[in-house]
Amino acid sequence: MRTDSLEVLSFCVENARCLDVVAPRLEQLNVSHDVIEANISAPKLAKLAWRGSGVYDPCRHKFADVGRCLRLLDINETRAGASLLQRFDTVGELKLTILIEKEIFGYQSFLNETKVLPRCETMSVSVVWNYHGLVPAMVHLLRSCTATRKLFVALFSSDYYNMMYRCPMSCPCCLAMNCKTDDITLGSLEEVELSEFTCSQEELEFVEQLSRCNAAVLKNIVICYKRRPRTPLTKEVCEKVRSKCRSNLKVEFYTTSDKCWDMILQEELGRTQ
């Protein structure tokens, strides 16, 4: 494909052998399926979404005339996009989907895949499945957030996998030092939002460790509570979460359901209990 006018390209072809693009005005590229080879010439590329299941290989997938800075880098699986994370130095927004497999090798692979992350102003993390605990995985990512101003974390049933599988004590995720944040400085962090929150023990521990980071600019955390029939958002739940945070950190609560978003003002909550 050679075009002087194309600005956005979404590639959704299954079992493609090769993708060749020469597009001097291309600003956004979305790859939704595995492609064996790719040669992209796009000097103005600013947004890249690598959401296929195939692993990005710099020897087979080449970005010619593309700089080392992006406005958006969206990677569906860290396992598939590990080398792509090292291809760019800075991105405006980094979106990561976390899927950590069982056994020690699963967690070690995650550590290796995310040991080098581009500097980003906004980081959005979706924890889809994780057999090794929320806290050590997120603490590992937080160490790369020294320049991050906004952090968004979506939590999807982390406790469910912990109930199904018990990680061996020899796994690095079980080391106490990998769950502590006292030595992490997040000097630029201003905004944190946690969605799909259920007030599980692991989530509470993560909130506590996040609060312990040296983040002097951070004054507010927004929690989008996952509303379930038997687990309504109550004043007790709110106070339980706040008890894990430092005293000068404000915590705002919202509720989420499958059909709508409802904002719950703290003053109203206090009056209705």
Side-chain angles (χ1 to χ4, degrees), residues 82 86 105 107-116 140:
Q86 302 173 31
F105 75 87
Y107 188 73
Q108 192 60 56
S109 295
F110 164 72
L111 295 179
N112 293 335
E113 293 158 2
T114 55
K115 64 182 179 181
V116 178
H140 170 71

Side-chain angles (χ1 to χ4, degrees), residues 85-259:
L85 289 170
Q86 302 173 31
R87 169 63 177 77
F88 301 98
D89 297 325
T90 61
V91 298
E93 181 177 4
L94 177 62
K95 290 186 176 182
L96 295 176
T97 300
I98 304 300
L99 305 95
I100 308 180
E101 300 284 355
K102 296 180 182 178
E103 306 299 340
I104 297 176
F105 75 87
Y107 188 73
Q108 192 60 56
S109 295
F110 164 72
L111 295 179
N112 293 335
E113 293 158 2
T114 55
K115 64 182 179 181
V116 178
L117 299 180
R119 290 171 60 90
C120 59
E121 183 174 309
T122 301
M123 179 182 287
S124 300
V125 180
S126 295
V127 185
V128 177
W129 81 59
N130 177 12
Y131 289 95
H132 295 269
L134 173 67
V135 176
M138 286 306 305
V139 167
H140 170 71
L141 294 179
L142 285 176
R143 295 187 183 280
S144 298
C145 292
T146 54
T148 301
R149 292 180 54 249
K150 300 178 182 180
L151 175 64
F152 302 96
V153 183
L155 308 165
F156 296 96
S157 304
S158 59
D159 273 5
Y160 172 73
Y161 295 100
N162 289 335
M163 292 171 59
M164 293 175 54
Y165 169 76
R166 180 65 63 180
C167 194
M169 294 303 297
S170 56
C171 182
C173 76
C174 295
L175 297 176
M177 60 180 293
N178 291 332
C179 296
K180 301 300 181 183
T181 57
D182 305 78
D183 61 336
I184 297 179
T185 299
L186 306 175
S188 301
L189 190 62
E190 300 175 357
E191 182 179 345
V192 172
E193 180 177 310
L194 308 179
S195 61
E196 302 297 318
F197 196 85
T198 62
C199 203
S200 69
Q201 186 58 41
E202 263 217 319
E203 292 169 350
L204 288 172
E205 185 179 350
F206 171 57
V207 170
E208 182 176 9
Q209 292 301 328
L210 180 61
S211 177
R212 289 182 176 180
C213 291
N214 182 11
V217 182
L218 180 64
K219 302 298 182 182
N220 186 54
I221 293 180
V222 175
I223 292 181
C224 300
Y225 188 79
K226 182 73 171 182
R227 183 171 58 193
R228 296 175 179 175
R230 296 186 179 181
T231 57
L233 179 62
T234 64
K235 186 175 181 179
E236 288 71 22
V237 169
C238 297
E239 292 306 318
K240 191 174 185 180
V241 175
R242 290 193 180 99
S243 69
K244 301 296 182 179
C245 301
R246 63 175 190 262
S247 58
N248 65 339
L249 192 59
K250 181 181 178 182
V251 183
E252 297 180 7
F253 293 91
Y254 295 74
T255 59
T256 65
S257 64
D258 294 335
K259 296 182 179 180

